[in-house]
Amino acid sequence: MGRARMALRTATIGTASAALAFGAVLGPAPVATARPAATVSAEAAGIRFTDITGHDGTVLKANVVAPATAPGERLPLLVLPTSWATPQIEYLAQARKLADAGYVVVTYNVRGFWQSGGRIEVAGPPDVADAATVVDWALAHTPADPDRIGMAGVSYGAGISLMAAAHDPRVKAVVALSGWADLIESIYSGRTQHRQAVALLGGTGYLTGRPSPELQQVLRDFLSSRLDREQDMIDWGRERSPASHLDRLNANRPAVMLGNAWGDTVFPPNQYVSFYERLQGPKRLELRPGDHATAEADGLLGLPSDVWSNARRWFDHHLQGAANGIDREQPVQLKSRTGGGYEGYPDWRSVGAREHRIGLGREQHIHAAVDSGANGGVVVLSSALDQLFRLPPTVSVPLLPRSFAAVWKSERYSGPRQVRGTATVHTTVTSTKPSGTFVAYLYDVGPLGFGKLVSNAPYTFHGRTPGRPFTVDLDLFSTAYDVPAGHRLALVIDGADPLYIDHNPSGARLTFSSPAADPSFVRVPLRGR
C-alpha cells in the first residue's frame, strides 16, 4: 500500500508539472427533465485501467473510476481527455472525488502520447472521433447514463472536449480549463508567432509523444517563418478551433464552462472571451490570476481548489439536477491579479464599464530590431510568479533606452484605478521597411519609476510601403489589475521580445505618431460606473 501511494503521489506530481508546462461553464440550463442525483453505494470508488480501441483501431490507454451501483442503476458519465504531454493518471485525484459524488469517470490518454497509439493530431478529426468512441465504450462497459454525459479537461483536454461537444450532441455539459477556442489567435495573435509557447508545444510533444507528419511540417513552417505557407498553417489551425465550429456547438447547446488565467502565455484569455460572447445556451466564464494550467494544478494534486469545486458544481447542476445555486450566480466571474475575491458580472460588456484614455501625443522613433529590456517574461514561469507572489515582469521605465523603446505616461492617479477587460492601442505607424514587428506593454508605474507589467501584445505587418503611415488597432491581452493611488500607467513599445518571433529587418526604424485628424491613444477599461 505504501508503494502504491508513493507511486500515485509521484505520478500525480509529475502530471501537475507537465500541466504547468503545457496543459486542463456552464450557465443555467433547463433542468425540468433532469434526473435526481444518483444514489451511490457507500463503497469507495474503484479504479481500473483499460484499453479502448479507437475508431481506426488505435489503442487508447484509459482508466475508469466509478462507485458501486445497484443492478440497473445508471450514473452520469464524465469523459476527461488528458492534457498535452501528460499520462493517463493526470486526473485521478479529481476522478476519485467525482466518482465518490456519483459519477462514472473515464479518463484517457489522447492518441499520440505516452502508451496510447497513433500520432499527435492536435484535436483534429481523429481526436474528435476518439472522444465519441470513448463515450460509446463507456456506455457499453460501465453503468453510464446515455442522457447525462459531460466532458472536461485541462489545456489540450479542454480543446478536445469543446471540439467533441460540437460534433457529438450526446455531450450535455463541458468544463474547459486553460484551453483554446481559437488556436490561431492563441499562438499567432497579431500575426506574430508566439515562439516560446510553440517551442514548448513542439518540444514536449516530441519528448512524450509522436507528432504526426502534418504537425511536424506545421512546426517547421511556423518556427522558421515560412510566410509562403502561412495560409496552410492558418487553415490547419482553424480546423482545430472550436470557434470555427461554433454553429454546431450552438445547435447542440451543451452547458459550457470556460476557465482561464489572465497571464496564460500559451492560450491568452482574449480568444476565450470572444468565444464566450458568441456561445448560446448555458455558459459561464471564470478568469483568475496565473499562467497556463497553474490555477488547476493544486486540484490535480488533490488539494482544495475553487477551480475544480466550481467544475463539480457545474456538472452537479447540469447533469444531476442539483439546486446548488450556480445557475443563479453572475455568469462572468473574475478575480483580480492584485488580490480580492471574485467579482460577478452579467456579461463581458459589463466588465470594463468605464473607459479611460491615455493620449499618445508625442511622436516617437525606435530602432526596431533591438530588445529594449521591456518584455512579457518567460512562458508559464512569469505569470505563475505573479499568481503566487504578485511578482509580474518588472522594468525601470525611466531607464529604458529611448532609442529602442517608445514611452508614454498617464498622469499620476489620485485614487486607485481598477483595470478590467481588454485595453486597446490605437496608433499610426510608419516603417522604413515593408515588414516589421512591435510589442506594446502596459505598465503600472510606481513613484520610483518601476513598472509592473499589466498587459502586452505583439503586432506584425508585411507588405507595407516604406515611409507611408498606416493605422493599427491592437488589443492587449485581457486582464484584471488594480493600480494603486499615486501610481500611473505607462505604454511602452519596442520591437523585440523573447516570447515572440519578430520580423524586423536589420536597420528597421518605426515611428509612432498622432495625427490631428486621428489621434493616437490607449483605451483602458475600468471597473465601475
Side-chain angles (χ1 to χ4, degrees):
M1 179 65 71
R3 285 186 179 180
R5 286 177 179 163
M6 180 60 73
L8 180 57
R9 182 173 181 271
T10 301
T12 307
I13 291 174
T15 297
S17 299
L20 287 174
F22 197 91
V25 207
L26 318 168
V31 293
T33 60
R35 306 184 183 199
T39 303
V40 183
S41 165
E43 180 180 340
I47 302 172
R48 65 185 173 99
F49 293 86
T50 188
D51 291 348
I52 298 177
T53 302
H55 69 285
D56 58 355
T58 297
V59 174
L60 305 174
K61 295 294 182 177
N63 56 64
V64 180
V65 189
T69 56
E73 185 178 10
R74 292 288 178 177
L75 303 179
L77 168 67
L78 295 180
V79 175
L80 282 67
T82 53
S83 303
W84 186 271
T86 56
Q88 69 193 82
I89 59 162
E90 176 186 10
Y91 301 115
L92 279 187
Q94 287 302 319
R96 287 295 299 266
K97 293 182 179 182
L98 289 165
D100 288 343
Y103 293 91
V104 174
V105 184
V106 179
T107 78
Y108 70 97
N109 224 138
V110 294
R111 65 169 53 221
F113 284 107
W114 296 88
Q115 288 90 1
S116 284
R119 299 278 184 168
I120 302 171
E121 301 290 347
V122 194
D127 291 306
V128 174
D130 284 345
T133 299
V134 172
V135 170
D136 293 340
W137 183 93
L139 294 176
H141 295 89
T142 74
D145 186 339
D147 295 327
R148 294 185 291 168
I149 299 172
M151 290 191 68
V154 178
S155 185
Y156 194 36
I160 290 175
S161 295
L162 289 171
M163 290 290 291
H167 291 81
D168 191 340
R170 296 176 297 179
V171 179
K172 305 302 182 184
V174 177
V175 172
L177 305 171
S178 290
W180 78 89
D182 188 325
L183 190 56
I184 296 301
E185 187 61 26
S186 295
I187 62 175
Y188 195 50
S189 68
R191 206 179 176 187
T192 307
Q193 296 104 316
H194 293 211
R195 170 170 36 205
Q196 288 187 15
V198 173
L200 182 62
L201 165 66
T204 53
Y206 276 103
L207 182 65
T208 62
R210 300 164 300 281
S212 67
E214 187 178 22
L215 174 57
Q216 294 179 45
Q217 184 65 54
V218 168
L219 288 171
R220 285 194 298 268
D221 294 342
F222 188 91
L223 293 173
S224 61
S225 300
R226 285 282 306 273
L227 294 179
D228 59 314
R229 296 184 60 87
E230 180 184 42
Q231 191 58 50
D232 292 338
M233 185 271 291
I234 290 174
D235 292 342
W236 175 87
R238 283 177 176 162
E239 182 183 20
R240 290 156 171 80
S241 296
S244 299
H245 306 272
L246 190 64
D247 55 342
R248 302 184 64 146
L249 200 61
N250 284 336
N252 293 340
R253 292 180 67 84
V256 177
M257 174 179 155
L258 304 173
N260 205 355
W262 293 118
D264 195 321
T265 45
V266 178
F267 302 132
N270 298 49
Q271 45 92 32
Y272 248 17
V273 167
S274 175
F275 180 69
Y276 170 83
E277 289 186 291
R278 295 185 292 147
L279 274 174
Q280 298 172 5
K283 59 183 179 178
R284 181 179 175 94
L285 175 66
E286 297 184 356
L287 296 170
R288 50 181 63 85
D291 207 309
H292 186 64
T294 61
E296 296 84 16
D298 51 359
L300 292 176
L301 290 169
L303 301 174
S305 167
D306 58 343
V307 178
W308 291 101
S309 294
N310 287 343
R312 157 85 179 278
R313 293 173 62 222
W314 189 256
F315 285 130
D316 285 351
H317 178 70
H318 290 285
L319 296 182
Q320 300 212 52
N324 56 20
I326 197 167
D327 57 316
R328 296 190 298 275
E329 295 173 0
Q330 299 276 36
V332 177
Q333 294 286 323
L334 313 180
K335 183 180 284 190
S336 173
R337 289 167 45 203
T338 45
Y342 282 96
E343 304 165 1
Y345 300 88
D347 49 47
W348 181 254
R349 291 190 302 273
S350 302
V351 171
R354 292 193 297 133
E355 177 181 305
H356 170 53
R357 290 199 178 196
I358 303 171
L360 309 179
R362 182 166 58 88
E363 182 173 286
Q364 300 196 43
H365 313 268
I366 64 170
H367 295 279
V370 179
D371 186 349
S372 70
N375 64 71
V378 178
V379 67
V380 176
L381 177 62
S382 293
S383 292
L385 291 174
D386 185 33
Q387 172 191 357
L388 297 173
F389 307 110
R390 297 183 189 170
L391 293 175
T394 302
V395 297
S396 174
V397 174
L399 296 182
L400 289 172
R402 295 309 196 259
S403 295
F404 311 125
V407 179
W408 300 266
K409 298 178 184 178
S410 73
E411 74 278 10
R412 197 179 302 277
Y413 300 128
S414 59
R417 297 291 178 104
Q418 295 180 301
V419 179
R420 297 291 186 274
T422 308
T424 301
V425 177
H426 174 79
T427 189
T428 296
V429 182
T430 306
S431 174
T432 60
K433 305 289 184 180
S435 296
T437 298
F438 66 86
V439 184
Y441 310 89
L442 189 65
Y443 284 104
D444 161 25
V445 184
L448 298 179
F450 289 101
K452 294 182 178 181
L453 186 65
V454 177
S455 186
N456 78 100
Y459 184 88
T460 294
F461 57 89
H462 297 287
R464 293 292 180 177
T465 302
R468 177 177 296 175
F470 59 95
T471 58
V472 171
D473 289 287
L474 174 62
D475 287 344
L476 305 187
F477 299 135
S478 303
T479 194
Y481 185 99
D482 296 344
V483 180
H487 288 214
R488 66 179 78 208
L489 287 171
L491 181 74
V492 176
I493 296 180
D494 71 4
D497 188 310
L499 283 174
Y500 313 112
I501 293 176
D502 74 80
H503 294 260
N504 293 311
S506 178
R509 297 188 67 199
L510 299 176
T511 298
F512 299 92
S513 58
S514 182
D518 186 15
S520 296
F521 60 86
V522 182
R523 175 196 171 274
V524 181
L526 301 177
R527 183 186 183 192
R529 298 178 180 177

